[in-house]
């Protein structure tokens, strides 16, 4: 649509949300997203409406290049001598001790709280003296620092699915930690304990957790049956392809095991799991590892 300086983001976000509010389709959920407004009314209309609501003209679009594929976990410096802290919210589920810890951090330290597109939280605008307080609150509630989480769990995303979403075909958010832990064990056993791998699971093919751009994407097909998608690349416009379908949840990690072991043995230095699966070819991987004793 156009380029704008990062400090204009709140104005643009407000404009986009109000466009969605005023023109979004509330009668048909399958046609309810902002992207359908843009597709139906056209780019010129959308840009002009966005500019009118944001109060400034967008510049011409610029080439977009991603240079990171993780959130800003842990402590980082920000402008003004302040600090921010990125907290991993596993599968986007804020409950129990984690919820109590977040509540206490917000009540005591009053940070600016940002929700990231990867389902995590940033506590911004903190002073140096707030750092030990925040860490002591997390420790008191038994919440692990992001650096202490297994890397696949730390990077994971899940859609809400059952029991919240009426379109769900299979469990997602509630079973994500169990599935991830089993997959992490396969990486650990292959000697890849510290490897960062992007894992995402959705409860139906609508893919709200963006499984099709993950290195390992799991998509619910029916109760307890999932498809496994491999080969996505988060830094490049390449999506994952279906590797296997009709896999029982309890078998997901075991079905991935041979591919993970091949990756450990055959990948070139620094090659990501997703890049390796793409280079090896899913047909080839399926031919080598697709048949699996039930
Ligand atoms: S992916 Fe499917 S089940 Fe999950 S939130 Fe989206 S529509 Fe619901």
């Amino acid at each position: 649509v156009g380029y704008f300086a990062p400090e204009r983001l709140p104005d643009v976000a407000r404009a986009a949300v109000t466009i969605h509010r005023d023109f979004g389709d509330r009668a048909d959920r399958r046609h309810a997203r902002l992207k359908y407004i843009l597709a139906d009314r056209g780019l010129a209309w959308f840009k002009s409406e966005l500019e009118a609501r944001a109060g400034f003209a967008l510049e011409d679009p610029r080439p977009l290049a991603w240079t990171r594929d993780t959130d800003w976990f842990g402590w980082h410096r920000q402008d003004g001598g302040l600090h921010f802290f990125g907290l991993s919210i596993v599968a986007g589920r804020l409950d129990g001790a984690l919820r109590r810890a977040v509540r206490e951090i917000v009540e005591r330290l009053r940070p600016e709280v940002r929700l990231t597109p990867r389902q995590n939280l940033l506590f911004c605008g903190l002073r140096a003296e707030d750092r030990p307080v925040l860490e002591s609150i997390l420790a008191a509630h038994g919440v692990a620092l992001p650096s202490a989480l297994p890397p696949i769990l730390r990077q994971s995303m899940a859609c809400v699915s059952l029991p919240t979403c009426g379109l769900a075909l299979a469990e997602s958010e509630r079973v994500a930690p169990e599935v991830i832990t089993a997959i992490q064990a396969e990486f650990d056993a292959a000697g890849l304990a510290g490897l960062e791998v992007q894992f995402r699971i959705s409860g139906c093919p609508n893919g709200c957790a963006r499984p099709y751009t993950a290195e390992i994407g799991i998509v619910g097909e029916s109760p307890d049956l999932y498809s496994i998608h491999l080969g996505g690349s988060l830094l490049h416009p390449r999506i994952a392809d279906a590797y296997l379908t009709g896999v029982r949840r309890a078998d997901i990690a075991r079905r991935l095991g041979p591919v993970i072991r091949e990756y450990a043995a055959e990948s070139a230095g620094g090659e990501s799991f997703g890049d390796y699966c793409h280079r090896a070819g899913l047909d080839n991987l399926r031919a080598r590892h697709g048949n699996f004793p039930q």
Side-chain angles (χ1 to χ4, degrees), residues 20 24-33 36 40 167:
H20 197 195
D25 187 346
R26 287 189 169 76
D28 180 2
R29 180 176 170 174
R30 294 172 194 275
H31 190 245
R33 292 182 174 179
Y36 295 118
D40 293 346
L167 299 178

Side-chain angles (χ1 to χ4, degrees), residues 27 76 121 138 170 181 189 274 288:
H76 300 276
L121 289 181
L138 292 179
T181 299
R288 288 197 283 273

Side-chain angles (χ1 to χ4, degrees), residues 29 33 159-161 165 167-169 202-209:
R29 180 176 170 174
R33 292 182 174 179
C159 77
V160 292
S161 195
C165 177
L167 299 178
L169 300 175
S202 277
C204 85
N206 285 332
C208 294

Side-chain angles (χ1 to χ4, degrees), residues 7-72:
E7 57 268 26
R8 295 284 203 169
L9 180 59
D11 298 325
V12 174
R14 199 173 302 113
V17 169
T18 58
I19 289 173
H20 197 195
R21 178 196 66 195
D22 296 342
F23 298 99
D25 187 346
R26 287 189 169 76
D28 180 2
R29 180 176 170 174
R30 294 172 194 275
H31 190 245
R33 292 182 174 179
L34 183 65
K35 66 182 181 182
Y36 295 118
I37 301 175
L38 198 159
D40 293 346
R41 293 177 178 260
L43 187 59
W45 177 91
F46 189 89
K47 183 177 180 184
S48 142
E49 192 70 31
L50 192 79
E51 289 176 337
R53 291 169 184 249
F56 66 94
L58 299 177
E59 298 174 30
D60 288 338
R62 299 182 185 180
L64 193 59
W66 301 111
T67 56
R68 288 178 57 87
D69 65 354
T70 66
D71 263 340
W72 296 84

Side-chain angles (χ1 to χ4, degrees), residues 100-111 113 123 137:
R100 289 190 290 276
V102 168
R103 177 188 292 273
E104 187 173 342
I105 289 169
V106 171
E107 287 178 347
R108 288 178 59 184
L109 301 177
R110 294 286 166 191
V113 181
F123 300 114
I137 294 171

Side-chain angles (χ1 to χ4, degrees), residues 173-204:
E173 182 189 75
R174 294 193 296 195
V175 302
E178 157 200 325
V179 175
I180 295 164
T181 299
I183 293 174
Q184 181 72 61
E186 295 287 346
F187 277 96
D188 293 354
L192 300 168
L195 188 72
E196 302 260 355
V197 179
Q198 294 282 1
F199 169 96
R200 296 174 180 173
I201 180 169
S202 277
C204 85

